Amino acid sequence: MAEQLVVDRLTKTFGGIVALNGVELAFSAGELIGLIGPNGSGKTTLLNIVSGYYTADRGQITYENQPIAGTSPHKLARIGIGRSFQVTKVFRRLTVMENMLVSGLSDWSETRSQASERATAILEDLKLTRLRDERASNLSGGQLKLLEFARIMMLQPKLLLLDEPFGGVHPELKRFMYDCIRKWNAAGITIILISHDMGSIFELCRRVVTLSYGDIICDGTPEETRADKGVLEAYLGEHHASA
Ligand SMILES: Nc1ncnc2c1ncn2[C@@H]1O[C@H](COP(=O)(O)OP(=O)(O)OP(=O)(O)O)[C@@H](O)[C@H]1O
Ligand SMILES: [Mg+2]
């Protein structure tokens, strides 16, 4: 089948820093891809460009056969590109349910009752039902992560970009997040997962893309990635050394 997302010679610089150096990638619908690399290697920048938060200096992005470079995050969300942020973003003064409805209602042709019905089901799925009327500011870090997941699902993404979802999350919750990610992927959602947590990446993803200084240095299975000399030097070696 055709590729769902194609990134063609994407370059992004910040001042003198080359964050992405002509990156080329193609993803098929339904893949669950890990995106790894040392700090500052360009992972978040790639996500920011695909989701419309940054504009590339050069290069093309094609989503479902349409060029999308320069499209706003808002429009991209409407055509199915959803994302999470490295630092969780929710409306802290609003309740859990209000957060859900803000995500859902912004410009869908959906009535409030349809939206709240969907929200209720998603909250149930993410075990947040008992917190529905709690203000987001009262949630724990882990509960905020789940609320962010829930809000993303309100947008019914077809391509989901997750930036460090496991940061600071305790093991039990991490397991639950794995289950969610697997379930969404099994339902057909393409997922690109950024994480420094190699255990999570190697357990969840059959394909792992490694960035180093804005270049793809490896694109393969977890086994190939673990055995790759360049990856070891650029990334895994340092992690093993500090582990
Ligand atoms: N808005 C920005 N302004 C200036 N420089 C930036 C900006 N965003 C990213 N950079 C730089 O671009 C490079 C790539 O950063 P990026 O955030 O994409 O890395 P990363 O792989 O996500 O790192 P980490 O694992 O630490 O999250 C870094 O050198 C970073 O300092
Ligand atoms: Mg990052």
Side-chain angles (χ1 to χ4, degrees):
M1 74 153 283
E3 310 289 1
Q4 184 182 35
L5 181 75
V6 180
V7 166
D8 184 25
R9 287 168 291 172
L10 213 59
T11 295
K12 177 71 178 174
T13 56
F14 296 102
I17 295 166
V18 183
L20 294 175
N21 185 21
V23 165
E24 300 199 12
L25 277 170
F27 300 122
S28 301
E31 279 196 279
L32 170 44
I33 305 116
L35 183 58
I36 67 170
N39 293 117
S41 56
K43 305 180 297 294
T44 298
T45 301
L46 180 59
L47 233 82
N48 280 336
I49 293 175
V50 171
S51 56
Y53 286 84
Y54 290 175
T55 317
D57 302 339
R58 277 193 300 283
Q60 293 294 329
I61 314 163
T62 310
Y63 170 72
E64 296 187 338
N65 301 315
Q66 306 237 17
I68 57 161
T71 307
S72 73
H74 191 71
K75 279 201 183 132
L76 292 175
R78 287 175 61 183
I79 59 171
I81 301 182
R83 70 165 296 179
S84 75
F85 290 86
Q86 202 159 350
V87 178
T88 308
K89 289 195 178 178
V90 300
F91 296 104
R92 288 176 189 260
R93 286 161 171 275
L94 299 186
T95 67
V96 165
M97 188 47 132
E98 285 164 351
N99 264 283
M100 295 295 281
L101 295 178
V102 169
S103 309
L105 276 180
S106 46
D107 53 27
W108 298 85
S109 55
E110 188 176 49
T111 66
R112 191 174 175 89
S113 78
Q114 286 168 328
S116 73
E117 207 170 289
R118 277 197 318 112
T120 301
I122 292 168
L123 291 178
E124 181 74 39
D125 241 20
L126 287 166
K127 301 187 184 165
L128 288 171
T129 303
R130 72 187 170 81
L131 295 171
R132 57 174 281 153
D133 297 318
E134 196 66 60
R135 266 195 201 214
S137 57
N138 294 333
L139 302 190
S140 70
Q143 289 165 341
L144 282 173
K145 290 266 176 196
L146 290 180
L147 176 56
E148 194 182 25
F149 267 26
R151 291 191 64 204
I152 294 168
M153 293 322 282
M154 257 333 254
L155 298 170
Q156 301 178 299
K158 293 188 271 181
L159 169 65
L160 184 52
L161 313 168
L162 299 175
D163 197 355
E164 296 277 3
F166 309 121
V169 166
H170 67 77
E172 195 185 326
L173 178 58
K174 202 157 85 174
R175 285 276 144 203
F176 180 60
M177 290 167 89
Y178 284 10
D179 292 343
C180 294
I181 289 170
R182 287 202 179 98
K183 194 165 73 178
W184 295 336
N185 183 241
I189 302 175
T190 312
I191 300 176
I192 302 177
L193 172 64
I194 294 180
S195 183
H196 284 290
D197 181 340
M198 287 309 116
S200 303
I201 291 282
F202 290 146
E203 181 167 340
L204 287 168
C205 307
R206 293 309 306 153
R207 176 178 172 195
V208 180
V209 172
T210 309
L211 279 171
S212 175
Y213 293 109
D215 282 311
I216 294 172
I217 58 168
C218 184
D219 184 348
T221 64
E223 295 73 26
E224 287 161 351
T225 305
R226 269 203 206 91
D228 189 273
K229 281 216 176 66
V231 176
L232 276 168
E233 262 167 43
Y235 189 44
L236 292 180
E238 140 207 343
H239 268 241
H240 286 305
S242 63

